Amino acid sequence: MPELPEVETVRRGIAPAMEGRRFLHVEAKRPDLRFPLPEGFTRRLEGQALESLARRGKYLVGRLTDGALLIMHLGMSGRFVVEMPQSTGSDDDMPAARPGAFHLDTGANAHALHEHIIFRMEGGGVVRYSDPRRFGFMTIEETGDEGQNQFLRVLGPEPLEKAFKPSVLAAGLHKRKSPIKTALLDQAVVAGLGNIYVCEALFRSGISPKRVAATLVKQSGEPTDRLKKLHKAIREVLAEAIEAGGSSLRDHAQADGSLGYFQHTFRVYDREGMPCTTPGCDTDIRRITQSGRSTFYCGKCQR
């Protein structure tokens, strides 16, 4: 499932075509994705402008002219592709962005067969949403209040915001008896983190994924030095992944069709049996299963 860097990359890719522009025509080729689309979904959007497009955790959140929120989730295989008018002045010639000759098959043909939603925007942009597995969804929060939405109200702090300090992370982990890897995957603790970037951040901070989360917090509730190091690693790995356009494993592609590149700098994720990247370490990367998810780590470097 796309994690924070992938969703942020997608947000930046579709924003030029959608943000500040009216929905001229919305086509829904089916009445449902993971959940049924809201009643009158297409009519509800047409004529409205998307005043802003933000990201909250792994969700895209657009605010409409009347204050309502358009909430979109990519699920396992959701993808947006953007078509923009060429700078030649011809609005009739809008080639769709396509993946280049990358080493990884992006599944472009499968996505073409499973195109479900088409947004035709003011200014000539066309944004197409495809989802072969249909685990993604779109809904509208009529109140305009994130705190009233069943998906957004349960989310924890945003890890890249200034307000996310070591003390905030400590508050989320205080007295947690679960392994730190499992705790960090809880979206109520930190919004947007997923399997890839938790593995990478734990490696960078030298913390075993099996360590009990509460041991990283002092009895007073203050963060330990190790937790401060983890906090820094979380922010650094997310920022680097966004800069690289996210990680392309199976389904993630940017809105222009290109792939992310952060997977080329993985230090532990998906590297089972390969040598640890720490200079001087002679240990191979291990894989274990935690809460049904694969965890990759170095048993020597991470304690």
Side-chain angles (χ1 to χ4, degrees), residues 152-292:
L152 303 183
R153 67 188 178 203
V154 298
L155 297 179
E158 286 288 329
L160 292 179
E161 291 186 352
K162 291 183 179 180
F164 182 68
K165 300 182 182 301
S167 59
V168 174
L169 181 57
L173 299 177
H174 191 41
K175 298 183 179 181
R176 284 247 179 179
K177 301 303 182 183
S178 59
I180 183 62
K181 164 72 183 307
T182 302
L184 290 176
L185 290 179
D186 184 345
Q187 297 300 291
V189 174
V190 184
L193 285 183
N195 205 34
I196 294 174
Y197 301 108
V198 170
C199 286
E200 292 293 310
L202 287 172
F203 175 76
R204 292 188 183 201
S205 56
I207 296 173
S208 169
K210 297 183 285 185
R211 176 174 284 277
V212 174
T215 64
L216 296 170
V217 183
K218 298 177 182 179
Q219 288 188 348
S220 64
E222 295 298 310
T224 61
D225 289 343
R226 301 197 74 189
L227 185 60
K228 292 177 182 178
K229 191 173 182 179
L230 173 59
H231 170 270
K232 181 181 179 182
I234 289 172
R235 291 171 67 91
E236 287 180 348
V237 74
L238 291 176
E240 290 175 19
I242 291 172
E243 182 66 23
S247 302
S248 293
L249 297 179
R250 293 184 178 85
D251 296 296
H252 171 64
Q254 300 180 48
D256 65 356
S258 62
L259 300 181
Y261 288 92
F262 191 72
Q263 69 273 11
H264 300 305
T265 60
F266 286 165
R267 300 185 189 181
V268 288
Y269 187 80
D270 204 27
R271 299 188 73 249
E272 180 184 8
M274 299 176 68
C276 176
T277 57
T278 301
C281 182
D282 57 0
T283 306
D284 290 341
I285 300 301
R286 302 175 185 175
R287 183 183 71 83
I288 59 174
T289 301
Q290 293 179 294
S291 301

Side-chain angles (χ1 to χ4, degrees), residues 114-134:
H114 296 278
E115 182 180 88
H116 304 311
I117 309 291
I118 303 175
F119 299 119
R120 299 188 183 277
M121 308 300 297
E122 181 180 34
V126 180
V127 180
R128 302 176 183 272
Y129 177 76
S130 60
D131 191 349
R133 303 183 193 180
R134 288 201 355 258

Side-chain angles (χ1 to χ4, degrees), residues 42-112:
T42 59
R43 297 191 306 275
R44 178 69 179 81
L45 294 178
E46 290 174 353
Q48 292 281 325
L50 194 71
E51 294 190 340
S52 63
L53 182 63
R55 178 197 52 75
R56 181 73 173 99
K58 301 176 185 180
Y59 297 85
L60 294 169
V61 182
R63 186 168 294 276
L64 303 176
T65 308
D66 62 7
L69 302 177
L70 171 62
I71 300 171
M72 300 179 284
H73 193 280
L74 295 170
M76 294 288 288
S77 61
R79 179 183 302 178
F80 286 98
V81 173
V82 177
E83 302 171 5
M84 292 290 286
Q86 291 184 329
S87 58
T88 59
S90 172
D91 289 344
D92 296 325
D93 190 9
M94 294 195 304
R98 298 299 184 213
F102 293 92
H103 78 286
L104 181 66
D105 181 8
T106 63
N109 291 333
H111 279 270

